[in-house]
Amino acid sequence: MLNQNEILETLNMISKENLDIRTITMGISLLDCAGDDVNIIKNKIYDKITKKAERLLEVGNQIEREYGIPIINKRISVTPISLLSNNLTSKECVEIAKILDKAADTTGVNFIGGYSALVQKGFTNGDRALISSIPEALSVTNKVCSSVNVGSTKAGINMDAVKMMGEIIKDTAQMTKDADGFGCAKLVVFANAVEDNPFMAGAFHGVGEAECVINVGVSGPGVVKCALEKVKGADFETVAETIKKTAFKITRMGNLVAKEAAKRLDVPFGIVDLSLAPTPAVGDSVAYILEEMGLEQCGAHGTTAALALLNDAVKKGGVFASSSVGGLSGAFIPVSEDAGMINAAANGSLTLEKLEAMTCVCSVGLDMIVIPGDTPASTISGIIADEAAIGMINNKTTAVRVIPAPGKKIGDVVEFGGLLGTGPVMKVSHLDSSEFINRGGRIPAPIHSLRN
């Protein structure tokens, strides 16, 4: 039972410390929509999504008003579309993307994820058709998000897919060049992708999930920073305990919203994803949390250690607060979406190499990073390969969401607006990776994948 002080504390977190429910995401299985005729598939997809999610926006708004908890996004994730497209052409896949976009508009959600393929061990015909369609699909839709899983600890890394995705990212940037390559902000390349992730752009409804489910993503970097301000100068055990207690409180709020949404929508409650997902708002930054621990600026030596402590403490506090913690839970480090990261990248304190080191201990990987528009596809593939290797070896989810902004050079700034923020163009290595990438084939799974 909540007492008066706990209620007041939560209200203070919401009003002054940027605490929010980042997303309520409804996962919907589309496995029963598969077929050979694209028109029949489209009709089934549209009808199912609009029926299942017809009250999602309404219920989210009701909970927001009744509990006074900001719910920033209402979203939908669907079964990876490549599983439905085995007999479709790339052009027909684009038609599927358009109908997903139409369904998102009809239901009023912010984004719809699942224009995805899982190719960690190889390609089906549907995978190839969908992946080749991604640049056009993301250029002709507004709310569709795409992801491709190219590696896993169990399967190794599909280097043919890694090469392909470098080229796909370049093509997507060119096809959305009037928006500074914005299409790439809706495209994630994963290793060890999870099936219950409520966060875009990487959300999809896994094949092991129920017919329909509600997942909630909670965010509270500002709350954690404010909590650490009260223990300034304390030792790291105190820092960790403070973060754990704060994460517990945040997760309890998310658990409440998730169960209430699931009850009102009459669908199962899936998971609460406690991820410290920042925004460009001052004070709502993961970088500022790290700096509150004593770093002059994010990127200084010690940054990776500070992030490791933060990520671990967030998970421990969250798991104690709910038996249904899942998704990517931990700390995100997207550059353009985090005011502190933006500042550190803009003045050179934070480099791509340091970010890569930080991804070894954070929730995901290299996220929302703007790079020069003339960056070769092979260099982008090299970045993907490095991140996939970190994920594969460490048995964790890693991802790459980079934006080669057409016409932009190091030092330029790209304005995306909203939660996507501002992206300073970061330096990438000038060294050539093409011979390495062109080898193709598959990097074998590590020895510790043999756990049966």
Side-chain angles (χ1 to χ4, degrees):
M1 180 69 68
L2 292 175
N3 62 39
Q4 185 177 15
N5 288 336
E6 289 173 320
I7 293 171
L8 291 173
E9 186 178 37
T10 302
L11 291 174
N12 186 65
M13 290 178 181
I14 292 168
S15 63
K16 297 181 180 179
E17 299 172 4
N18 299 302
L19 177 61
D20 60 51
I21 300 295
R22 185 56 49 86
T23 179
I24 293 178
T25 301
M26 175 177 279
I28 302 172
S29 174
L30 299 182
L31 290 174
D32 56 349
C33 298
D36 297 327
D37 186 315
V38 68
N39 292 315
I40 295 175
I41 295 173
K42 285 166 56 179
N43 290 336
K44 286 183 176 181
I45 288 174
Y46 181 80
D47 290 345
K48 186 165 189 179
I49 292 173
T50 54
K51 182 177 180 181
K52 290 286 186 182
E54 63 181 345
R55 295 182 57 244
L56 178 60
L57 187 63
E58 172 194 340
V59 167
N61 291 338
Q62 284 176 357
I63 294 172
E64 190 171 13
R65 288 193 303 269
E66 292 174 20
Y67 289 88
I69 300 171
I71 301 174
I72 307 303
N73 288 295
K74 292 83 178 177
R75 299 165 172 170
I76 295 170
S77 64
V78 299
T79 306
I81 294 299
S82 69
L83 299 179
L84 316 182
S85 63
N86 218 42
N87 296 312
L88 303 183
T89 66
S90 291
K91 286 292 182 185
E92 289 172 328
C93 287
V94 173
E95 292 303 308
I96 300 293
K98 290 178 181 178
I99 206 67
L100 291 173
D101 210 42
K102 182 180 178 182
D105 282 336
T106 300
T107 56
V109 297
N110 303 93
F111 289 107
I112 185 165
Y115 198 75
S116 307
L118 311 177
V119 296
Q120 57 268 24
K121 204 168 183 180
F123 300 94
T124 64
N125 294 332
D127 293 330
R128 291 187 185 278
L130 182 129
I131 292 172
S132 63
S133 75
I134 288 173
E136 184 178 355
L138 296 184
S139 69
V140 299
T141 59
N142 295 315
K143 297 182 176 181
V144 172
C145 292
S146 180
S147 61
V148 177
N149 193 70
V150 299
S152 72
T153 300
K154 198 72 177 175
I157 304 172
N158 182 347
M159 290 300 292
D160 293 322
V162 168
K163 178 182 178 181
M164 184 182 296
M165 290 312 301
E167 296 163 353
I168 290 295
I169 289 170
K170 285 284 288 186
D171 290 346
T172 302
Q174 283 301 312
M175 293 194 76
T176 56
K177 63 182 179 181
D178 291 342
D180 292 322
F182 177 72
C184 297
K186 300 187 294 173
L187 174 59
V188 183
V189 184
F190 276 118
N192 287 323
V194 298
E195 296 190 336
D196 55 5
N197 168 23
F199 286 101
M200 301 296 169
F204 63 87
H205 188 68
V207 295
E209 295 289 307
E211 179 73 12
C212 186
V213 69
I214 286 291
N215 297 321
V216 164
V218 187
S219 178
V223 179
V224 174
K225 180 183 182 298
C226 289
L228 291 183
E229 288 174 356
K230 299 171 185 175
V231 295
K232 191 176 291 291
D235 61 27
F236 283 116
E237 286 90 346
T238 302
V239 170
E241 285 301 310
T242 301
I243 295 170
K244 282 163 59 180
K245 291 175 183 177
T246 305
F248 173 84
K249 295 171 185 175
I250 295 170
T251 308
R252 292 297 280 178
M253 185 187 74
N255 200 65
L256 168 68
V257 171
K259 287 190 172 181
E260 190 64 28
K263 177 183 175 182
R264 296 187 188 194
L265 291 165
D266 194 26
V267 298
F269 161 41
I271 56 95
V272 175
D273 186 327
L274 174 62
S275 288
L276 298 183
T279 72
V282 174
D284 199 28
S285 162
V286 169
Y288 291 162
I289 296 174
L290 307 181
E291 291 164 12
E292 187 60 38
M293 292 186 198
L295 301 170
E296 180 179 353
Q297 189 164 39
C298 183
H301 295 300
T303 297
T304 305
L307 182 59
L309 183 155
L310 173 64
N311 208 58
D312 180 65
V314 164
K315 290 177 186 291
K316 287 174 178 174
V319 166
F320 186 60
S322 172
S323 59
S324 299
V325 170
L328 298 168
S329 295
F332 286 2
I333 53 171
V335 174
S336 79
E337 299 175 9
D338 185 305
M341 295 284 182
I342 293 169
N343 292 337
N347 67 22
S349 300
L350 190 63
T351 65
L352 196 60
E353 290 78 14
K354 184 60 177 176
L355 279 165
E356 182 181 300
M358 293 165 68
T359 65
C360 297
V361 298
C362 77
S363 281
V364 194
L366 296 171
D367 196 16
M368 284 302 291
I369 295 172
V370 185
I371 59 177
D374 60 0
T375 304
S378 59
T379 297
I380 297 172
S381 293
I383 293 170
I384 294 169
D386 285 343
E387 275 303 298
I390 290 171
M392 175 183 72
I393 295 297
N394 291 289
N395 198 27
K396 71 181 292 291
T397 303
T398 51
V400 172
R401 183 164 51 150
V402 295
I403 302 157
K408 301 295 183 181
K409 302 186 183 306
I410 298 168
D412 291 341
V413 173
V414 176
E415 296 284 350
F416 294 116
L419 287 176
L420 297 177
T422 301
V425 180
M426 299 185 69
K427 179 183 177 182
V428 299
S429 175
H430 66 278
L431 300 174
D432 184 15
S433 306
S434 59
E435 185 176 344
F436 174 76
I437 295 300
N438 287 335
R439 285 180 178 270
R442 184 157 56 94
I443 293 179
I447 186 63
H448 57 262
S449 68
L450 300 176
R451 294 183 173 182
N452 288 341

